[in-house]
DNA sequence: AGGTCTGTTATACTTTAAATATAACAAGTG
DNA sequence: CACTTGTTATATTTAAAGTATAACAGACCT
């Protein structure tokens, strides 16, 4: 797999795993219908515990990015041409808010923030 | 004070305090030169421990929003007409990135995200 | 000068989250 | 039938969050 985990970072390793899997979907290394490795095999791959991977998978399920079929496996959801749910939009807004507030307080103009946002989005898709 | 802390939330109470103080600066309830209450008095006010408030203040100092003068107190920095530092910009970008990635994966178009961002910024300033 | 308030530092403790370690179960798959 | 799957349960370790006291030294005020 294309996952690199760094223990000792300020971000928990299960969150790192979540972020990198979301990233992989954004970059289309993973796409709707693809299956994720079993929690056991991925845990072995990454040198971490089964339950840690399991926690990451359930986090991804909460986010609506994968579905978990008990006794079978985890599958990436097909979200193309599907409207984002109100709940997920609300959650993202709530998490993004304090960061935007901080940017404003530190002196960024709305236009600067929009430019930064656009640049990051391009990088996510392109890089 | 205009601070409301909710224990039992998934966000640590020292982070809640940080967020609400940043928010107060954004809304200009607090502005450059204003002093924050002492860690002891604010802790008593909010029914929390001195060290928890202290932790929040130091977090705000790392963010560049206040300065702490030992044996004296905490003062809001004057950041108007001051360029954001490269370090802070880098940190904000790094934290905002996974949220934007998630939005993309959940089907939002770049334009949608920009609109959402603009709306939140307006709300921060206006509300 | 004296007393109070300040942030700082240190120590100790409790509680919660993160992470690991095993083990067993029941259902899907070949 | 044998194997793999996610699930569940229990136990343990480590780190973070939060509280509780106490003492210190400089600032501040009368």
């Amino acid at each position: 797999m294309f996952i690199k985990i760094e223990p000792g970072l300020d971000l928990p390793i299960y969150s790192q795993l979540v972020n990198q899997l979301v990233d992989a979907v954004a970059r289309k290394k993973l796409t709707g219908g693809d299956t994720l490795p079993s929690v056991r095999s991925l845990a072995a791959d990454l040198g971490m515990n089964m339950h840690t991977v399991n926690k990451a998978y359930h986090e991804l399920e909460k986010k609506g990015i994968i579905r978990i079929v008990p006794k079978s496996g985890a599958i990436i959801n097909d979200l193309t041409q599907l409207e984002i749910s109100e709940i997920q939009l609300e959650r993202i807004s709530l998490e993004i808010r304090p960061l935007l507030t901080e940017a404003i307080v530190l002196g960024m103009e709305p236009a600067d923030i929009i430019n930064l946002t656009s640049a990051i989005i391009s990088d996510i898709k392109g890089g």
Side-chain angles (χ1 to χ4, degrees), chain A residues 44-85:
Chain A
D45 248 40
L46 302 178
M48 66 175 68
N49 191 276
M50 190 195 80
H51 296 104
T52 307
V53 175
N54 196 247
K55 190 172 182 179
Y57 279 14
H58 280 274
E59 191 91 3
L60 287 168
E61 194 177 42
K62 272 189 216 157
K63 290 181 190 296
I65 294 173
I66 69 171
R67 60 184 180 283
I68 300 175
V69 185
K71 327 297 174 190
S72 171
I75 305 114
I76 309 279
N77 284 328
D78 189 3
L79 298 157
T80 54
Q81 72 209 19
L82 201 71
E83 188 100 355
I84 186 173
S85 87

Side-chain angles (χ1 to χ4, degrees), chain A residues 1-3 13-26 30 34-37 39 42 46 52-68 73-79 85 88 91:
Chain A
M1 268 244 157
F2 32 76
I3 309 281
I13 61 179
Y14 83 92
S15 298
Q16 293 183 40
L17 180 52
V18 167
N19 286 348
Q20 294 203 28
L21 286 173
V22 175
D23 215 74
V25 177
L30 291 175
D34 285 358
T35 61
L36 292 180
V39 292
L42 184 52
L46 302 178
T52 307
V53 175
N54 196 247
K55 190 172 182 179
Y57 279 14
H58 280 274
E59 191 91 3
L60 287 168
E61 194 177 42
K62 272 189 216 157
K63 290 181 190 296
I65 294 173
I66 69 171
R67 60 184 180 283
I68 300 175
I75 305 114
I76 309 279
N77 284 328
D78 189 3
L79 298 157
S85 87
Q88 306 296 350
R91 183 176 51 74

Side-chain angles (χ1 to χ4, degrees), chain A residues 5-16:
Chain A
I5 302 295
E6 304 189 36
L9 226 70
D10 59 342
L11 201 66
I13 61 179
Y14 83 92
S15 298
Q16 293 183 40

